[in-house]
Amino acid sequence: SETEIKLLEESSYAIQLTARIVDTPTNEMHTDAFVAEAKKIKELLESYPVDITVIRGEELRERGFGGIYGVGKAAEHPPSLIVLKYNPENAKRNIAWVGKGIVYDTGGLSMKTKLTMPGMKHDCGGAAAVLGAFYLAVKSGFQDNLYGLMCMAENSVSERATRPDDVHTMYSGKTVEINNTDAEGRLVLADGVAYAKKDLNCQIILDICTLTGAQGIATGRYHASHLSNQGDWEEAVSEAGRASGDLSFPAVYCPEFQYPEFNSVVADMKNSVCDRSNAQPSCAGLFINSHLGFDWDGVWIHVDMAAPSAVGERATGYGVTLLNTLFAGSSANPMLKKLAPPSGDNHNANGNESSPTTEPKRRRLN
């Protein structure tokens, strides 16, 4: 049908947009250029109830975004938090998609090598996926409030760079001792999810990111790794991956065994694990989760797509179809609705129901 053809055309545009941004070298796709891309999407959606907010540079520091600012303050182009907002009539839920947007990752003072640094222009894959997915969701008639947060920074080196042993105060209010400046993605995402909870009052928060090299070891080149504080949503991500082609496989969610990896004697936590053999993809996700609180009764989903975000030296556009399939229950598009996973979104459509399977895992363990 014409509706189905339109969905496929818009999906193609969104995937190609995402891949193009990730493939563009950082001397062209720096943080300011990414802001410009987000503003272009806002203009393309001018006939929809879409708005954009950009918190940039010193304003981040002044407003308490210690993670984003701390990672990006050393670079020529300042860090930014980009928030695209879509607020349709009769929306029942507030949903946030939060993307890691490290436009280049040198590792900071914990510097990568000449062999591990090339290709780090791909480290903005999560933010690019959020941008493309947001565009497609709006074009497909998303029926809930949707917020696309892109946490943008370049992890660079200068006299202003964050040092190991520095302590940053995050937007959540928690303090973080930096023991590895190359574990920066979780810092920017922690600020992003905290903003989604505190300022946007979101009931469902998903973060997506090229977060750990260990993800590819754990789940391979073609599956992302995901975890959630609610079991039905964990299963729904797997189902949406199989339906969309953006594959993902669940990681272990066990805060009481893994979160102690971040213990610090001078702050609420460190930013990198003590034991690198203890389920790093899970630990990195739990760091982000901790800035919402393990007792938070909303839905948190984490997707680490470091490996499937690119094949060889080219980006894949991973994430656009995964997010739109996962949240197809909020779409007005009949073709998307047919792909909606039977778990997760369809089981708790109004965001205010609960069952033994939707209670937060952490609470069930108490």
Side-chain angles (χ1 to χ4, degrees), residues 109-129:
L109 291 178
S110 305
M111 189 173 287
K112 296 180 185 294
T113 70
K114 66 179 182 179
L115 297 178
T116 58
M117 199 183 299
M120 284 297 105
K121 65 180 182 179
H122 288 163
D123 216 13
C124 64

Side-chain angles (χ1 to χ4, degrees), residues 34-99:
F34 201 109
V35 170
E37 293 283 351
K39 290 180 177 178
K40 289 178 187 176
I41 292 299
K42 195 267 183 187
E43 292 173 3
L44 289 175
L45 299 173
E46 62 180 356
S47 61
Y48 299 85
V50 171
D51 202 357
I52 188 170
T53 297
V54 179
I55 306 171
R56 180 175 179 270
E58 292 302 312
E59 185 182 359
L60 287 166
R61 179 185 59 79
E62 293 165 1
R63 294 181 59 173
F65 292 91
I68 301 174
Y69 180 79
V71 171
K73 65 181 180 177
E76 175 186 359
H77 297 276
S80 298
L81 175 63
I82 307 167
V83 186
L84 280 168
K85 307 173 184 180
Y86 171 65
N87 301 114
E89 292 183 359
N90 303 317
K92 296 179 179 179
R93 299 183 298 181
N94 295 340
I95 298 170
W97 297 340
V98 185

Side-chain angles (χ1 to χ4, degrees), residues 185-234:
R186 63 200 67 182
L187 295 169
V188 302
L189 288 167
D191 276 355
V193 299
Y195 182 85
K197 173 188 174 183
K198 293 167 60 176
D199 292 59
L200 302 177
N201 193 31
C202 290
Q203 297 89 31
I204 303 174
I205 300 174
L206 177 147
D207 70 76
I208 183 167
C209 45
T210 51
L211 200 62
T212 65
Q215 175 273 306
I217 297 170
T219 58
R221 295 178 181 177
Y222 305 111
H223 287 74
S225 172
H226 67 270
L227 59 159
S228 176
N229 64 342
Q230 297 198 8
D232 53 352
W233 282 91
E234 179 183 281

Side-chain angles (χ1 to χ4, degrees), residues 314-334:
R314 297 305 299 269
T316 61
Y318 184 99
V320 173
T321 57
L322 177 68
L323 298 190
N324 278 274
T325 304
L326 179 62
F327 290 91
S330 292
S331 177
N333 186 284

Side-chain angles (χ1 to χ4, degrees), residues 61 64-73 155 160-181 183-184 187-188 191 266-271 287 291:
R61 179 185 59 79
F65 292 91
I68 301 174
Y69 180 79
V71 171
K73 65 181 180 177
N155 190 18
R160 289 168 50 84
T162 289
R163 298 165 288 265
D165 295 337
D166 284 357
V167 175
H168 293 322
T169 301
M170 310 291 284
Y171 195 69
S172 65
K174 296 181 182 292
T175 55
V176 177
E177 177 189 2
I178 306 301
N179 61 329
N180 180 3
T181 65
E184 82 297 329
L187 295 169
V188 302
D191 276 355
V266 298
D268 290 318
M269 67 195 77
K270 293 182 179 179
N271 76 312
F287 178 94
H291 291 267

